[in-house]
Amino acid sequence: MAQTRWWQRGIFYQVYPRSFQDSNADGIGDLDGIRARLDHLVTLGVDAVWISPIFPSPMADFGYDVADYCGIDPMFGDLDAFDRLVAEVHGRGLKIVLDFVPNHTSDQHPWFAESRAARDNPKRDWYIWRDPAPDGGPPNNWMSNFGGPAWSLDAATGQYYYHAFLKEQPDLNWRNPAVRAAMHDVLRFWMARGVDGFRVDVIWHLMKDAEFRDNPPNPEYAPGDGDIRRFLQTRSTDQPDVHDIIAELRAVIDEYEDRVLIGEIYLPIDRLVAYYGENLEGAHLPFNFQLIHASWTAPQLAALIAEYDAAVPEGGWPNWVLGNHDQPRIASRIGAARTRVAAMLLLTLRGTPTLYYGDEIGMENVPIPTQEAQDPWEKNEPGLGLGRDPERTPMQWDASPHAGFTNGRPWLPLAADFATRNVAVQMQQPTSLLNLYRDLIALRRAHPVLHAGTYRKITALGDVLVFLRESAAECVLVALNLAGNAQEDIPLPPGTLGQVLLSTEPGRAERVEGHLSLRPYEGVIVALDARG
C-alpha cells in the first residue's frame, strides 16, 4: 500500500468552471475564480482538481465543442491565468487534471473549415464523411446523443458528416494517423505546462464500425427515452480497435512522469474493464459510474460492488463516482437523508473516489424554467427531462447575494436554499455534511486500508450493507443503514472487538462487542481487533 501512486491514494474533485466562482462579475465562473477558491479544496482534503473544458469554443455545448485545443477561451481567462492556476494548485500540494475532448471538435475549428471546403482538401479525411443513402437520406440509422440523426448534409460538397452529439460537433476520424498525431501533440502541449493528467471525454466513442453498418433496434426502447435509445450503439461506439487508440494515448501520457489517464465510459462492467487494456496499457482509471445508476438498496449495492471489484483486472485500480456534470445530483437521486451514508460509502470503497463540486454540501438539482434552459439537449428534446442544467448551477459559497458566486447575474439560477445550504454555514456546523466529508477524507488518509485494502462483503440483508476493508496491518468494518428506521443486532465478525472511528451521526466513539446498532440512515466505520 505504501507504493501506491498519487492518483491511487488521492481523491479527485470535479469543477464545472462556469459554475464554480466568477471573478469578473460576468456571471460565469473562470480560472481566476477557481484559483481564489483553492483553499476550499485544501480544507476539504482532496488531492486533485479536474476541470471541465476551458478551451476556446463557440459554446454550443458549453466547451465540449472545441475550436482550439491549445488555448483558453476568453470567457475563462487566458494562458497566463492558466499558468497561474497551475502554479498555485501545485504550490498547495494538489494536482490538476484537464478534460480532453478528442472525439469531436467544433464545426468552427480550422480543421473542420478545411475539411468541408472540398472533397479533395487534405483535411477531408480528418472527419467522417459519407455519401447519402440511395434515397438521398443519411448513410445509416445512427442517432445523435442529443436527438435526431447523427448525420448532417453539407450541401456544398454533397456528403454527410457524422456527429455523435450536436451538428456543431463533427466527429474526428481517428483512423487517420494525422489526426492521432495532432491529438497526441495536444496532450504534450498541456503536460509541458504542468498538467498532471486528463479525463478523456466519451473515450468509448473514438472508433466507429469501419463499414458503417446500422445499429440494431433497442428492444427496451420506450417513448420518452430520447432518440439515442431507439437503437443499441453496437456499431457507433465501443469498437474492438478503440483499445489500440487508447494504448497510443497512454503511451504519450507515459512520456511524462507520474501522469494519469482517465476515461469517460458508460458501459456495463464487463465491457468497462476492457478499457484498462489487455496488458494494463489502457486508461489508468476507466470511470466507473455504477453508483450513479444503482438502485440504492443494500443487496443491489452489494452485488454491483462485488461484481465490479472482482472484474477489475489484476494490477488494475478501481474507482468510484457519485455524480458529475451530466447526471442528476446524488441528493436528488437518493434523497437528502441518504447523502451522509452515500458519502461514507464513496470514501470507504477500494479505489479512487471522485467528488462533484457542491455534493459535499448536499446541493440538489435546481428546477430551471423552460425559458432559462441553457443545455442544448433540453432544447433539442424538450419535455423529456433530459437537460443537464439542474446539476450545473452555481456553487453555493455563502448567504450573500448570488451565494458568493458572482457580483453579476449568474448564468443559471441559484437554488432557493442557498442562504442556508452553503459552505460558510456548514463550516460552522460540526455535524454538517461538509464536515462529515472532511472527517471521512481525513480518516481515509490516516488509515490506508480505506483506500488500498481488500474489500470483503459481510452481509447485505434488508436495508443494511456491511463490509470489511482489510490489510496486513488493519481491519475496518463499514456498516451502512440505508433505511429510515433503526437497525439492531448487526453482528461483528466472530472473535473481534470494535472501536467506532466515525459515524455519520454525532456522538459515537464507543467500543463495541458482539453486535452493532444503527440509527436511521446511519453509517459507521469500526476498527476491529482480535478479542483477547
Side-chain angles (χ1 to χ4, degrees):
M1 291 193 298
Q3 297 177 352
T4 53
R5 297 167 68 179
W6 67 265
W7 50 266
Q8 295 173 311
R9 298 185 299 274
I11 298 167
F12 288 80
Y13 184 97
Q14 182 189 358
V15 164
Y16 194 68
R18 295 178 68 92
S19 297
F20 199 59
Q21 180 65 55
D22 173 24
S23 71
N24 60 2
D26 65 356
I28 297 171
D30 47 48
L31 295 180
D32 283 345
I34 296 172
R35 189 163 56 89
R37 294 294 188 179
L38 290 178
D39 282 347
H40 173 65
L41 304 189
V42 173
T43 301
L44 183 59
V46 299
D47 301 271
V49 54
W50 151 35
I51 303 175
S52 294
I54 50 176
F55 313 111
S57 167
M59 299 292 163
D61 188 24
F62 299 113
Y64 286 92
D65 50 319
V66 178
D68 176 3
Y69 285 101
C70 295
I72 300 294
D73 193 283
M75 176 183 298
F76 301 121
D78 54 26
L79 283 171
D80 287 342
F82 180 79
D83 291 342
R84 289 194 299 271
L85 176 61
V86 172
E88 290 209 22
V89 165
H90 288 162
R92 292 164 190 261
L94 303 173
K95 303 289 188 179
I96 187 166
V97 171
L98 289 188
D99 238 312
F100 177 50
V101 189
N103 179 68
H104 47 266
T105 71
S106 166
D107 63 351
Q108 295 183 35
H109 196 293
W111 296 345
F112 190 66
E114 290 189 54
S115 184
R116 76 186 312 175
R119 289 196 183 199
D120 61 356
N121 187 280
K123 282 193 168 59
R124 184 68 168 186
D125 193 46
W126 280 46
Y127 293 83
I128 298 172
W129 294 93
R130 302 291 290 174
D131 289 330
D135 64 0
N140 61 26
N141 70 355
W142 296 359
M143 303 300 290
S144 163
N145 283 261
F146 289 159
W151 297 92
S152 286
L153 180 65
D154 179 64
T157 58
Q159 285 189 311
Y160 283 85
Y161 67 88
Y162 177 68
H163 50 89
F165 296 89
L166 298 174
K167 64 181 177 60
E168 294 88 355
Q169 294 171 286
D171 278 41
L172 286 161
N173 176 19
W174 274 80
R175 296 187 184 280
N176 185 328
V179 169
R180 300 201 297 273
M183 297 305 265
H184 295 166
D185 284 343
V186 169
L187 297 177
R188 295 184 181 105
F189 174 87
W190 291 107
M191 286 190 288
R193 296 193 94 93
V195 169
D196 298 292
F198 301 88
R199 173 265 191 190
V200 184
D201 186 60
V202 297
I203 199 170
W204 83 108
H205 275 256
L206 291 181
M207 295 294 271
K208 288 78 173 170
D209 178 45
E211 299 177 32
F212 294 94
R213 291 169 287 185
D214 280 353
N215 279 325
N218 180 3
E220 297 181 2
Y221 173 77
D225 282 349
D227 286 341
I228 190 60
R229 283 185 52 82
R230 291 181 184 274
F231 302 96
L232 301 174
Q233 297 182 72
T234 58
R235 304 294 189 189
S236 52
T237 67
D238 193 30
Q239 299 304 292
D241 43 8
V242 75
H243 300 291
D244 295 333
I245 298 298
I246 297 171
E248 290 182 4
L249 294 175
R250 171 66 179 275
V252 174
I253 294 291
D254 288 346
E255 293 173 9
Y256 294 75
E257 185 178 0
D258 212 16
R259 311 299 165 100
V260 66
L261 184 67
I262 305 167
E264 182 197 28
I265 304 158
Y266 283 95
L267 289 174
I269 289 174
D270 62 329
R271 290 157 64 195
L272 167 70
V273 296
Y275 284 75
Y276 284 101
E278 187 173 345
N279 297 304
L280 300 182
E281 79 285 11
H284 293 103
L285 299 174
F287 256 149
N288 164 29
F289 298 126
Q290 305 306 311
L291 292 179
I292 289 180
H293 301 297
S295 172
W296 278 69
T297 66
Q300 293 196 32
L301 285 174
L304 75 85
I305 293 167
E307 181 187 3
Y308 173 72
D309 195 67
V312 173
E314 185 176 356
W317 193 256
N319 68 94
W320 297 93
V321 180
L322 285 181
N324 62 36
H325 62 293
D326 288 330
Q327 303 296 332
R329 285 197 176 270
I330 181 67
S332 294
R333 295 200 313 270
I334 68 173
R338 286 179 173 168
T339 55
R340 300 174 73 85
V341 174
M344 183 169 281
L345 177 64
L346 177 70
L347 291 164
T348 56
L349 286 171
R350 185 172 79 95
T352 302
T354 296
L355 311 184
Y356 183 50
Y357 85 96
D359 280 354
E360 72 271 28
I361 57 171
M363 284 178 61
E364 299 180 356
N365 288 357
V366 177
I368 306 297
T370 301
Q371 67 274 15
E372 295 187 48
Q374 303 286 332
D375 186 12
W377 195 357
E378 176 67 21
K379 293 179 178 181
N380 285 354
E381 298 189 88
L384 300 183
L386 301 174
R388 300 161 296 173
D389 292 333
E391 59 263 24
R392 297 177 175 184
T393 56
M395 181 66 173
Q396 296 162 203
W397 294 107
D398 56 42
S400 66
H402 308 313
F405 164 69
T406 182
N407 291 324
R409 183 176 184 272
W411 78 284
L412 279 175
L414 286 152
D417 67 354
F418 78 83
T420 55
R421 189 192 305 275
N422 61 63
V423 172
V425 165
Q426 292 197 17
M427 282 292 289
Q428 301 305 314
Q429 298 171 335
T431 61
S432 67
L433 181 61
L434 175 58
N435 278 312
L436 174 63
Y437 266 98
R438 292 178 62 198
D439 291 344
L440 283 164
I441 291 170
L443 189 70
R444 180 184 176 89
R445 183 166 283 116
H447 295 267
V449 68
L450 288 174
H451 73 258
T454 60
Y455 169 88
R456 177 157 63 98
K457 184 188 80 170
I458 297 299
T459 186
L461 298 176
D463 300 305
V464 180
L465 174 63
V466 184
F467 57 90
L468 292 180
R469 301 300 313 283
E470 298 173 298
S471 70
E474 293 183 277
C475 181
V476 171
L477 178 142
V478 180
L480 307 172
N481 181 9
L482 301 171
N485 53 284
Q487 304 287 330
E488 306 291 340
D489 298 323
I490 300 161
L492 297 183
T496 63
L497 296 172
Q499 172 67 50
V500 175
L501 297 176
L502 184 63
S503 168
T504 58
E505 301 297 329
R508 292 196 71 169
E510 75 269 25
R511 295 283 292 176
V512 289
E513 182 176 359
H515 65 273
L516 274 172
S517 296
L518 296 176
R519 286 169 279 188
Y521 299 119
E522 182 184 20
V524 296
I525 303 172
V526 180
L528 296 179
D529 296 308
R531 184 184 285 117

